[in-house]
Amino acid sequence: MTGSEGALTCLVTGGNKGIGLETVRRLRAAGHVVYLGSRDLERGRLASEDVGARPVALDVTSEDSVRAAAGTILDEVEHLDVLVNNAGITGPLRDVHDYDATDAAAVMMTDVVGYVRVIHAFLPLLEQANDPRIVNVSSGLGSLTLAHDESRIESHAGTPLYSAAKSAINMLTVRYAQLLPGIRINAADPGMTATDLSGGEGHSVANGADAILAFALGGPDTPTGAYRDREGDLPW
Ligand code: NAP
């Protein structure tokens, strides 16, 4: 059993840009060993150079790719303290009439199936750590309560498939947290953050990564099965 003293070993999927890269940067700044997962290894290498991370090829839609990444980390450090499930896509943005099952499958394959695939590939490594954590990067768009609140931007979003994927991530978080009490498993909402995914709208990536870092590196009172943004608990 390793991990609670000194540097933690962390993995961030989709770490080559946006909120993922900021998360990698902050974990590195806190002195931890960070594997930067990127579906394109060259993009991952370039991003890793800037922040002193270890690049690892990881496409969440590929079983072979995810297994190979887990094999690399197993060979090098034999455990994982922090998994940040971050890689995500909105899928195409269309008039609601024009969405089809192919769009739905693409979004779910990355944003939901991808998270599950990564969790299971790294579970044996997480279970070797002293205080393992999984941070599932969700969104306020995954909240059924906020979707019914006219005063909230979430109730006006034109992204039904992406929102449904984030609701699924929230339920996965709750159920996995209940079923795996030895791992703190939480859902973080970055809030609208200026990245390629949001078309540059929103607050800084520093703000966007706050809730992720709080779950990843929080002290002994860090919960499990929680859903928070940088301000605190969100309604499910
Ligand atoms: P981003 O800048 O577009 O970055 C997305 C990352 O995911 C990129 O590294 C991308 O890699 C990676 N990715 C996409 N598909 C992948 C795959 N199949 N395998 C591995 N990596 C893959 O977006 P972001 O805003 O930082 O989003 C990060 C997370 O925050 C997502 O889960 C998103 O849903 C969530 N979020 C964002 C906002 C926001 O306003 N930005 C708000 C709430 C939640 P490539 O560079 O290869 O494309």
Side-chain angles (χ1 to χ4, degrees):
M1 301 277 279
T2 40
S4 71
E5 288 171 16
L8 302 175
T9 301
C10 313
L11 167 67
V12 181
T13 68
N16 57 289
K17 68 176 184 177
I19 295 163
L21 179 56
E22 173 66 8
T23 301
V24 171
R25 195 187 65 72
R26 300 258 292 271
L27 291 168
R28 283 290 302 134
H32 304 299
V33 174
V34 186
Y35 286 88
L36 185 158
S38 176
R39 61 178 159 176
D40 181 289
L41 188 55
E42 201 42 44
R43 281 200 289 275
R45 281 206 182 104
L46 283 173
S48 295
E49 277 173 18
D50 289 342
V51 291
R54 301 183 183 189
V56 61
L58 196 161
D59 181 339
V60 302
T61 65
S62 161
E63 190 69 27
D64 288 349
S65 169
V66 172
R67 281 186 187 279
T72 298
I73 297 176
L74 177 65
D75 288 347
E76 292 183 5
V77 285
E78 297 180 352
H79 77 285
L80 186 65
D81 298 288
V82 176
L83 166 62
V84 180
N85 247 332
N86 167 78
I89 58 170
T90 55
L93 303 177
R94 310 189 196 284
D95 179 272
V96 67
H97 296 88
D98 298 330
Y99 284 114
D100 61 22
T102 304
D103 298 332
V107 173
M108 298 300 164
M109 198 53 76
T110 299
D111 293 1
V112 182
V113 178
Y115 277 38
V116 173
R117 174 178 285 124
V118 172
I119 287 171
H120 284 278
F122 286 92
L123 211 42
L125 283 162
L126 287 159
E127 288 181 332
Q128 293 305 312
N130 283 331
D131 181 14
R133 296 166 185 223
I134 298 172
V135 184
N136 290 324
V137 181
S138 180
S139 167
L141 291 169
S143 166
L144 297 181
T145 305
L146 297 181
H148 289 90
D149 181 344
E150 282 290 306
S151 71
R152 294 282 305 213
I153 190 174
E154 287 85 353
S155 69
H156 307 294
T159 50
L161 306 179
Y162 175 76
S163 301
K166 293 301 187 182
S167 295
I169 288 167
N170 286 355
M171 182 59 85
L172 288 169
T173 299
V174 169
R175 297 295 294 130
Y176 274 70
Q178 290 167 339
L179 294 166
L180 294 168
I183 306 178
R184 297 184 215 235
I185 306 176
N186 292 294
D189 168 25
M192 178 76 93
T193 304
T195 65
D196 290 345
L197 184 143
S198 72
E201 297 281 315
H203 56 201
S204 67
V205 288
N207 286 346
D210 277 348
I212 301 170
L213 269 294
F215 282 137
L217 300 182
D221 57 353
T222 303
T224 190
Y227 176 36
R228 291 179 176 168
D229 67 9
R230 65 195 298 270
E231 311 286 343
D233 286 320
L234 288 171
W236 298 99

